[in-house]
Amino acid sequence: MADDYFRVREKRNALEWQVKEEPGVHQGNTINSYFNQDSQHDLEEDRLSEPHSEAPAVAKTRAADPQKPGPQAPTTRKTARTIGPNNLPRRQKITLSAKQDNAAKIAFRNNTPPTQIVDMGRPIQDIEPNVGSIPRIFEQIGLRTGSFILPQRSLGESQLQVWGNPKQVSLAVNELKAWRYQANKRAASSTKGQRLGKDAFAGNKSFIGSQYAADERIAKLDAQRHEYQKVPEPGTQFRYNGYFLWPNDEIRATDLFGPSCEALDPLRMEYRVYIIFDEARSVFKVFSNSSVEKIYAVIQRIENTIKEFVARDDRPMVLYLIEPPMTDKYRDSVRMVPGPLIGPSRTPSRIPQSCGNKLEPIDVVDWELEANKSASRNQIRMSTAISKVLERIPYIRGHLRMRAQFGTFTLIKFQWPPGVSSVPLTQFETDVQSAGTRGTLIRDLQLGRPARDVLHDIHHAVNLFQTIGASDDSLATIPPQYTAMFYLRHPDKAEEMIQLEVDFKTDDAGGEFEPSKALWRKASKPDAVSQAAPLEASNVRLHSGVSWQLKISADNLVDPSRITSQMETFASGIEYKKPPPETNPAVSGYKIFTSPGNFAVLGTEQRTTFRYSLKKQARITVEIQRYDVYDGDNPRLPSTTQWALSLYDREWDLKLSENAKLGVGHAASWNPSANPFFTPIKPSASGEADAGFKDFLGHTQDIGEFLDGLKADSREPATATSGSTKDGQPADERKEDEQQLLF
């Protein structure tokens, strides 16, 4: 699997840049070898015994006698092991390209003449003074019409080149005319000496001094960016040529990078090189007139994308660990009680819960010994899983998060014996580890208590929580933070659900709120089963109903170029709605925002976050969140309320934030091992490497016991009272057959 790949590559750094006799070829490992199931020794032996087809990273460049692009002799490659039907690649679900080229953009890249040249009647920057936004405007027009519009190369140009079929070009020209009309309308409505916001200010300043020079640089850089995206003209000669053989039998480069390998556009511009993929020979060609170092750097980063593919394609690490209960909470059996309906498909679930007999006095000592062994095994398994995942995620680009989330553990798939109401605890511990088991942690703690009582207990937990910064302020004086959450369908892709989160900030006096930050992401409905998290390690507490899960996940953000004007209008139209004087939104769930009506909203939530730090370790942040869901019956008061809690070390966010800034083919520099992620409260006198992880487990135990106290006294399934289901029907009154729901 991927672990073998990373270990083998680590041991072979010395061979990384060997030059092979084959002229002009950089040969990478086949992806099949990365997923080989044999031992590490067999992997190394196989690669070293196949010097050509299994060579390590190699590059040969031509520094003398300019050559025409392309290899001068056919290459030989090892035939990959057959995968899937008809010998086609089977791993085609992952793409590193945030935006795919349409046919018109591909035609531009292939040096096809433009379909039409459109004269806008005046310089483009007169129509849109904000020169930096022009490429995005043209890109969005291209998305809507299927065309491609090449931005102007200098500020004085008034003509635009458009690619596409006649219908697409006609639609694009109409949108360009509408764009110009709106600009003329804005200009006509302004009076002499007035400035219409930021655009007018930019327009008045664009022709003087440094502002004009800055705009000119923007236009020229964008022209260069598009130039390097194209295929070189036939007969073009380059001083340096480099090649990288791609393992096309397992994953097509065009599937991973886009039809024109557009995911590599940042490399093209960063190094000022041309990158072409010859699909017939499965080889990347890199051309440059600058330096041989750029060729080496580009080829190395192309090869590194294989590591990102391996890291993304690897199966998520999923664990279901049963926490051994304390002696006084031990029960010898486990039963299933009805759980909530999960995700947009409303999949039935069951909540495992301890039941049966207590320990006999004679068995107490034996159980305590067994419980200690079980806790130790769980610690080792979770620590090992974290380490394995952290080895891979430095290669994953994007917004990563690591959280310990508390909630209710439910089973969606589980082999339950027919005709029985409960099973022995030992049998359940074994069966839950079977390959067919599928569980999830829903965020709802199912507290079953009024919000005022919940907040009262939180504000008085001064032995567990403190204000961030360890000030003397009371926990009750810390104002909550509000977030509006909308679930919508993408205006250009009806099948794609998107989520908008808008944070509200307040002034220092804690008075009026206003929207401060909008974040668009691809999303599923709340409590949908996660499909992309690299790690989901669940610690199931059967004796209390409150479990927790350590999860590493990635935000699937909407690419900025895919945020349409309709989406921007919706986000900018969200406003603060001041509640009545006697209303406390943190207690009542009163909705503090309004939204425009230009979108069909599928769901609306308000998240109220209370943020503290742990008393024992101030760097650990605790977020207690209230989620209020609204429907059309009462648009201001919630139809459903859920409580959630998560904790995290602020260093986790600091480390993982590096992944969001990575370029194509780069990896994060943080130490990919578990111990640096878990800092002990105090340095261990014995030098235990896992002292920090043990402290972390102690924190989760403290939080779990606190939440046990918050829950209602009744141990009946809380789904019937907490509002976890949206149909209003108590879970125990559902008519579905129990055995059918139990898979």
Side-chain angles (χ1 to χ4, degrees):
M1 291 295 289
D3 301 327
D4 297 317
Y5 164 66
F6 291 124
R7 285 196 291 266
V8 171
R9 298 297 291 168
E10 217 173 346
K11 292 192 174 186
R12 301 194 55 193
N13 286 340
L15 301 177
E16 196 68 22
W17 295 109
Q18 274 189 348
V19 177
K20 294 299 173 184
E21 296 179 359
E22 187 171 5
V25 175
H26 171 100
Q27 169 70 55
N29 292 298
T30 64
I31 295 179
N32 271 336
S33 64
Y34 303 165
F35 288 84
N36 198 316
Q37 299 295 318
D38 295 335
S39 67
Q40 178 180 340
H41 171 76
D42 293 338
L43 280 168
E44 293 191 24
E45 189 174 66
D46 175 63
R47 290 172 184 159
L48 292 172
S49 64
E50 298 281 352
H52 175 70
S53 62
E54 294 287 354
V58 186
K60 178 96 178 239
T61 59
R62 297 168 180 162
D65 296 328
Q67 302 287 331
K68 293 183 179 181
Q72 303 304 304
T75 62
T76 59
R77 300 179 67 252
K78 179 179 177 181
T79 302
R81 175 170 53 88
T82 300
I83 297 181
N86 303 321
N87 299 335
L88 293 177
R90 66 176 177 85
R91 300 184 184 92
Q92 301 184 37
K93 295 181 180 180
I94 296 173
T95 177
L96 303 185
S97 176
K99 39 193 176 184
Q100 301 274 330
D101 278 356
N102 57 25
K105 180 68 177 287
I106 293 174
F108 158 76
R109 289 182 186 264
N110 291 329
N111 289 308
T112 303
T115 309
Q116 184 173 336
I117 297 177
V118 181
D119 194 334
M120 299 298 292
R122 55 183 172 137
I124 305 301
Q125 86 278 2
D126 287 356
I127 302 174
E128 176 54 66
N130 187 358
V131 176
S133 69
I134 293 176
R136 182 181 172 191
I137 293 172
F138 290 170
E139 188 171 14
Q140 290 184 348
I141 293 176
L143 283 173
R144 291 190 293 269
T145 63
S147 63
F148 172 70
I149 304 170
L150 182 66
Q152 78 282 6
R153 299 188 179 188
S154 64
L155 293 183
E157 290 186 5
S158 61
Q159 293 184 335
L160 295 173
Q161 302 178 56
V162 185
W163 281 258
N165 62 36
K167 181 179 179 181
Q168 293 166 343
V169 171
S170 176
L171 291 173
V173 171
N174 288 338
E175 289 215 21
L176 288 172
K177 289 179 179 178
W179 174 58
R180 183 182 60 187
Y181 171 77
Q182 292 296 331
N184 292 339
K185 189 176 179 181
R186 289 195 305 267
S189 64
S190 63
T191 58
K192 188 175 182 179
Q194 282 187 320
R195 291 181 171 85
L196 296 178
K198 181 179 179 181
D199 288 350
F201 177 79
N204 290 334
K205 300 289 288 183
S206 61
F207 295 101
I208 58 174
S210 60
Q211 182 63 47
Y212 181 88
D215 288 346
E216 184 71 24
R217 282 195 301 271
I218 291 174
K220 288 184 177 179
L221 282 174
D222 192 63
Q224 286 184 3
R225 179 170 63 87
H226 284 94
E227 179 62 31
Y228 285 111
Q229 290 177 4
K230 296 165 62 177
V231 174
E233 294 282 356
T236 304
Q237 296 182 338
F238 295 91
R239 187 178 180 188
Y240 302 106
N241 300 345
Y243 307 96
F244 174 64
L245 290 183
W246 181 261
N248 207 42
D249 295 303
E250 293 111 296
I251 176 68
R252 295 186 181 95
T254 50
D255 287 341
L256 191 62
F257 301 116
S260 304
C261 294
E262 51 266 32
L264 301 180
D265 283 348
L267 298 186
R268 293 177 167 115
M269 187 58 186
E270 179 179 349
Y271 295 100
R272 304 295 200 274
V273 298
Y274 293 90
I275 303 174
I276 311 299
F277 181 67
D278 184 342
E279 193 157 10
R281 298 183 178 182
S282 187
V283 61
F284 275 100
K285 307 174 183 179
V286 186
F287 307 124
S288 172
N289 285 320
S290 299
S291 68
V292 65
E293 287 75 20
K294 289 185 177 181
I295 296 287
Y296 275 97
V298 169
I299 289 177
Q300 176 65 80
R301 288 179 64 174
I302 293 176
E303 188 190 25
N304 283 348
T305 61
I306 299 179
K307 298 179 182 178
E308 182 175 1
F309 169 79
V310 171
R312 288 182 179 274
D313 189 58
D314 203 19
R315 292 181 179 179
M317 186 74 70
V318 179
L319 293 178
Y320 306 122
L321 307 176
I322 307 302
E323 180 180 307
M326 302 296 290
T327 303
D328 59 331
K329 297 180 181 179
Y330 173 89
R331 300 295 184 271
D332 64 359
S333 300
V334 177
R335 64 177 178 176
M336 292 288 189
V337 299
L341 301 175
I342 304 297
S345 60
R346 298 175 67 79
T347 304
S349 70
R350 286 291 185 267
I351 301 174
Q353 194 179 88
S354 61
C355 64
N357 301 318
K358 298 182 179 181
L359 277 173
E360 296 291 340
I362 193 173
D363 297 325
V364 170
V365 175
D366 290 341
W367 169 249
E368 288 178 347
L369 292 174
E370 179 58 32
N372 289 335
K373 293 179 182 178
S374 179
S376 179
R377 287 194 299 269
N378 287 350
Q379 176 185 330
I380 292 172
R381 290 189 62 195
M382 184 174 287
S383 178
T384 302
I386 296 170
S387 297
K388 286 183 175 295
V389 170
L390 289 178
E391 287 178 5
R392 294 193 289 273
I393 62 173
Y395 300 95
I396 298 178
R397 293 175 296 130
H399 293 77
L400 299 177
R401 285 173 24 117
M402 183 171 173
R403 293 290 187 271
Q405 180 72 47
F406 288 77
T408 303
F409 181 78
T410 67
L411 286 167
I412 301 171
K413 289 184 179 180
F414 183 75
Q415 191 64 41
W416 186 261
V420 299
S421 60
S422 65
V423 297
L425 173 61
T426 53
Q427 178 182 339
F428 180 80
E429 289 178 325
T430 301
D431 292 347
V432 81
Q433 305 299 334
S434 64
T437 299
R438 185 183 179 195
T440 187
L441 188 88
I442 61 174
R443 70 188 182 195
D444 188 10
L445 290 167
Q446 301 186 338
L447 298 181
R449 297 177 62 193
R452 194 176 300 276
D453 294 345
V454 172
L455 292 175
H456 176 273
D457 288 358
I458 292 173
H459 294 158
H460 285 79
V462 292
N463 60 329
L464 185 59
F465 307 134
Q466 64 181 5
T467 59
I468 294 179
S471 67
D472 295 331
D473 296 335
S474 168
L475 297 179
T477 63
I478 305 302
Q481 296 177 330
Y482 294 96
T483 302
M485 304 167 66
F486 302 89
Y487 296 92
L488 317 147
R489 294 212 179 272
H490 197 286
D492 294 336
K493 296 181 179 179
E495 72 281 0
E496 182 178 300
M497 184 178 292
I498 54 178
Q499 176 187 345
L500 171 64
E501 287 191 6
V502 179
D503 291 333
F504 286 82
K505 67 178 181 180
T506 183
D507 53 31
D508 294 336
E512 295 290 318
F513 286 85
E514 62 179 15
S516 63
K517 183 179 67 173
L519 184 66
W520 290 95
R521 58 164 61 94
K522 301 175 185 178
S524 54
K525 291 292 285 293
D527 290 336
V529 180
S530 174
Q531 298 292 336
L535 174 67
E536 289 184 352
S538 299
N539 188 81
V540 184
R541 304 172 74 240
L542 298 171
H543 55 280
S544 78
V546 175
S547 300
W548 61 272
Q549 181 184 82
L550 186 64
K551 183 175 181 177
I552 299 177
S553 59
D555 275 343
N556 197 2
L557 299 181
V558 177
D559 187 84
S561 65
R562 300 307 189 247
I563 299 176
T564 66
S565 58
Q566 183 182 0
M567 295 163 65
E568 290 178 333
T569 301
F570 181 83
S572 62
I574 296 170
E575 297 179 347
Y576 171 67
K577 175 72 173 179
K578 187 174 182 179
E582 68 280 1
T583 301
N584 182 355
V587 175
S588 65
Y590 185 89
K591 186 164 69 172
I592 68 165
F593 59 87
T594 60
S595 59
N598 67 327
F599 249 107
V601 179
L602 303 178
T604 305
E605 289 185 323
Q606 179 170 285
R607 184 176 65 208
T608 307
T609 303
F610 305 87
R611 189 173 286 113
Y612 312 107
S613 63
L614 278 183
K615 192 90 168 182
K616 287 184 178 179
Q617 196 167 12
R619 62 187 290 166
I620 303 293
T621 297
V622 178
E623 291 184 346
I624 302 173
Q625 296 165 325
R626 170 182 172 144
Y627 289 87
D628 292 301
V629 182
Y630 307 91
D631 57 29
D633 297 335
N634 191 333
R636 283 290 151 204
L637 293 178
S639 61
T640 301
T641 296
Q642 298 177 352
W643 289 88
L645 185 146
S646 63
L647 66 84
Y648 61 95
D649 190 323
R650 288 188 285 275
E651 281 294 313
W652 297 352
D653 285 356
L654 184 62
K655 291 177 184 294
L656 296 178
S657 64
E658 184 182 348
N659 290 64
K661 306 169 187 175
L662 295 176
V664 177
H666 276 161
S669 60
W670 45 263
N671 185 0
S673 62
N675 291 335
F677 276 76
F678 299 96
T679 304
I681 299 174
K682 295 180 180 179
S684 173
S686 59
E688 290 181 283
D690 60 350
F693 187 64
K694 289 181 178 179
D695 287 342
F696 165 76
L697 294 179
H699 298 326
T700 62
Q701 185 69 27
D702 294 340
I703 295 293
E705 292 176 357
F706 168 73
L707 293 176
D708 290 343
L710 274 184
K711 288 181 72 72
D713 293 336
S714 172
R715 282 297 308 276
E716 291 302 314
T719 49
T721 59
S722 69
S724 300
T725 60
K726 296 183 180 180
D727 53 11
Q729 181 185 14
D732 54 0
E733 294 179 8
R734 296 188 191 131
K735 303 301 182 183
E736 294 93 343
D737 177 75
E738 179 175 353
Q739 292 305 321
Q740 182 181 357
L741 292 184
L742 287 176
F743 338 110

